[in-house]
């Protein structure tokens, strides 16, 4: 796993990553109706706010839906959708609006894979990074969700990129000081984008693990000042919008409170997210093996295990659970499964056989994007 890649090996992996992950993300994005309720809300509030711009050039500051301020979700998804629709007439068909919004979501999905590659390269090496990105980009859960223009797709991308930048900044001090400064700056900017996409959930699933990983680093690699600067930058990116809304929208605090106090008649059991093991098909067995091995086989993967455990445990505690909530765990799935995929064992022939079979299954899962009937 630690052999350096030759130039030809590098480009072969680039081609394989593109062929396996890009077509299923972009093919037929406009074929399925906009039925998933969170995608409907994201697109509908984006469309209404976009149409209001004709009469109010400042409408973008506070998104709306059904004539009411839509502030229980931050505005970044709406803003990016509106940029995607720039130049379209106000009466543009909804299908075109949905297709463009999904194209951006798919692009963010591929940025997520680049973030996983970056993490894998930082923790182990480039070969490992490509394997982790392929695992992440070819599992059913990823392909089923990142083709939707929802807040969760944005949260996944920005949490992944912020953690990748933080891990890069936490590398040994022998590297250039500018690397650490840029790493923490990027971590803060991406975390801020996550906060502007889905609010405090970005702090819970991206910021808190960043603090935990920094605390678990050897004393010579900790950077509390860098971490504090990243968190401060994230808040600096986010707080101006919240301050503006608090000053201009009546009952803004009450509206924000509804995001976390909605009444639910029935919750899910604590073991609900064990279903993740089936959702990451065809890499289920490799994920189980990676979790059972922990960081014993390769201590370099302990950050991935810590991040996985944090997200899994924290999201399992509340009664309200949805599959999409745990989407930000997918980068750790790719890293842990790739550790098993590339780690040598005494049964090398057995490993190669099953690796080949799973790669075929990954190609089959990727091919779901080409089915004539919508599979989302």
């Amino acid at each position: 796993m630690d052999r350096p890649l030759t130039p030809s090996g590098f480009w072969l992996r680039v081609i394989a990553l593109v062929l396996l992950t890009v077509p299923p993300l972009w093919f037929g994005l406009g074929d399925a109706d906009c039925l998933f309720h969170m995608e409907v809300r994201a697109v509908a509030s984006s469309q209404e706010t976009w149409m209001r711009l004709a009469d109010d050039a400042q409408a973008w500051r506070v998104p709306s839906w059904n004539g009411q301020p839509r502030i229980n979700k931050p505005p970044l998804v709406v803003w990016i959708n509106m940029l995607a629709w720039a130049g379209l007439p106000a009466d543009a068909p909804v299908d075109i609006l949905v297709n463009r919004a999904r194209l951006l979501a798919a692009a963010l999905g591929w940025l997520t894979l680049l973030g996983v590659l970056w993490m894998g390269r930082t923790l182990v090496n480039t070969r490992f990074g490509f394997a982790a990105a392929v695992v992440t980009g070819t599992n059913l859960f990823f392909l089923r969700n990142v083709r939707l223009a929802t807040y969760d797709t944005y949260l996944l991308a920005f949490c992944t990129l912020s953690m990748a930048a933080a891990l890069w900044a936490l590398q040994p001090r022998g590297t250039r000081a500018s690397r650490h400064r840029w790493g923490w700056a990027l971590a803060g900017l991406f975390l801020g984008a996550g906060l502007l996409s889905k609010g405090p959930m970005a702090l819970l699933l991206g910021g808190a693990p960043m603090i935990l990983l920094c605390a678990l680093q050897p004393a010579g690699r900790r950077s509390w000042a860098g971490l504090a600067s990243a968190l401060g930058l994230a808040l600096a990116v986010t707080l101006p919008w919240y301050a503006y809304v608090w000053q201009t929208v009546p009952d803004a605090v009450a509206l924000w409170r509804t995001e976390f106090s909605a009444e639910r008649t029935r919750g899910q059991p604590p073991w609900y997210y064990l279903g993740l093991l089936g959702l990451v098909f065809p890499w289920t067995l490799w994920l189980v093996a990676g979790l059972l091995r922990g960081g014993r086989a390769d201590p370099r993967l302990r950050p991935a295990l810590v991040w996985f455990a944090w997200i899994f445990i924290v999201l399992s505690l509340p009664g309200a659970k949805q599959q999409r909530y745990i989407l930000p765990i997918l980068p750790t799935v790719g890293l842990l499964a790739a550790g098993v995929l590339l780690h040598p064992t005494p049964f090398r022939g057995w490993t190669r056989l099953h690796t080949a079979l799973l790669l075929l299954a990954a190609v089959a899962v990727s091919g779901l994007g080409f089915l004539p009937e919508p599979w989302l």
Side-chain angles (χ1 to χ4, degrees), residues 36-46 49 63-65 70-79 81 105 108 145 148-159 193-199 201-202 259 324-325 327-328:
F36 181 54
H37 71 285
M38 290 310 298
E39 185 179 40
V40 170
R41 294 182 182 185
V43 174
S45 60
S46 300
T49 308
S64 64
W65 186 36
R70 168 75 171 165
I71 63 169
N72 56 330
K73 286 288 192 292
L76 187 60
V77 175
V78 170
W79 291 348
N81 282 341
L108 282 170
N145 281 275
L148 298 174
T150 67
Y151 306 98
D152 300 283
T153 301
Y154 284 66
L155 181 66
L156 167 65
F158 293 129
C159 280
L195 285 166
L196 279 176
S197 298
K198 207 178 175 184
M201 287 298 292
E259 179 68 9
R324 59 188 172 84
Y325 292 171
L327 197 62

Side-chain angles (χ1 to χ4, degrees), residues 141 273 276 311-312 315 322-329:
F141 192 34
Y273 286 123
L276 174 72
I311 293 178
F312 191 90
L315 292 185
Q322 298 285 344
Q323 285 183 12
R324 59 188 172 84
Y325 292 171
I326 205 168
L327 197 62
I329 208 171

Side-chain angles (χ1 to χ4, degrees), residues 261-337:
S261 60
E263 293 185 4
R264 293 174 173 86
T265 57
R266 187 168 65 93
Q268 289 76 30
W271 56 85
Y272 177 82
Y273 286 123
L274 288 177
L276 174 72
L277 298 176
L279 292 173
V280 297
F281 175 85
W283 304 104
T284 300
L285 295 179
W286 298 97
L287 172 60
V288 172
L291 291 171
L292 292 177
R293 270 194 338 189
R296 296 190 304 274
D298 192 342
R300 294 172 295 184
L301 296 184
R302 286 174 184 165
L305 186 65
V306 169
W307 193 17
F308 180 99
W310 173 266
I311 293 178
F312 191 90
I313 293 171
V314 166
L315 292 185
S316 295
L317 295 177
K321 301 179 181 69
Q322 298 285 344
Q323 285 183 12
R324 59 188 172 84
Y325 292 171
I326 205 168
L327 197 62
I329 208 171
L330 282 179
T332 69
V333 170
L335 294 167
L336 293 171

Side-chain angles (χ1 to χ4, degrees), residues 12-246:
L12 283 174
R13 282 165 174 79
V14 170
I15 294 170
L17 180 62
V18 170
L19 291 178
L20 280 172
T21 61
V22 171
L25 284 179
W26 269 279
F27 183 82
L29 280 176
D31 293 347
D33 289 336
C34 190
L35 299 177
F36 181 54
H37 71 285
M38 290 310 298
E39 185 179 40
V40 170
R41 294 182 182 185
V43 174
S45 60
S46 300
Q47 181 187 24
E48 182 174 310
T49 308
W50 176 63
M51 295 178 70
R52 284 171 49 218
L53 286 175
D55 300 317
D56 180 7
Q58 304 302 317
W60 61 273
R61 294 187 177 185
V62 181
S64 64
W65 186 36
N66 292 332
Q68 300 297 320
R70 168 75 171 165
I71 63 169
N72 56 330
K73 286 288 192 292
L76 187 60
V77 175
V78 170
W79 291 348
I80 293 180
N81 282 341
M82 290 166 61
L83 285 175
W85 301 338
L88 292 176
D91 59 348
V94 174
D95 289 349
I96 293 178
L97 303 184
V98 171
N99 188 61
R100 288 202 180 187
R102 287 178 177 172
L103 280 171
L104 281 176
L108 282 170
W110 216 75
L111 281 178
T112 300
L113 299 184
L114 294 182
V116 174
L117 194 160
W118 186 9
M119 279 192 282
R121 186 177 184 275
T122 298
L123 293 174
V124 183
N125 58 29
T126 305
R127 184 191 307 272
F128 179 86
F130 274 112
V134 167
V135 170
T136 304
T138 57
N139 73 73
L140 186 60
F141 192 34
F142 177 85
L143 290 171
R144 186 170 180 265
N145 281 275
V146 299
R147 290 165 50 91
L148 298 174
T150 67
Y151 306 98
D152 300 283
T153 301
Y154 284 66
L155 181 66
L156 167 65
F158 293 129
C159 280
T160 301
L161 291 167
S162 67
M163 186 61 74
L167 289 172
W168 189 60
L170 284 169
Q171 291 311 292
R173 290 295 179 184
T175 54
R176 292 179 300 174
S178 60
R179 167 173 173 163
H180 300 282
R181 290 195 296 269
W182 277 108
W184 288 121
L186 289 172
L189 288 173
F190 288 132
L191 184 59
L195 285 166
L196 279 176
S197 298
K198 207 178 175 184
M201 287 298 292
L203 280 179
L204 182 66
L205 303 182
M210 202 182 295
I211 296 171
L212 185 59
L213 289 177
C214 189
L216 293 175
Q217 293 295 315
R221 289 172 60 178
R222 293 177 193 158
S223 178
W224 294 114
L227 175 63
S229 68
L231 295 176
L233 181 57
L235 293 176
V237 168
T238 309
L239 290 180
W241 180 79
Y242 280 96
Y244 176 81
V245 170
W246 180 67

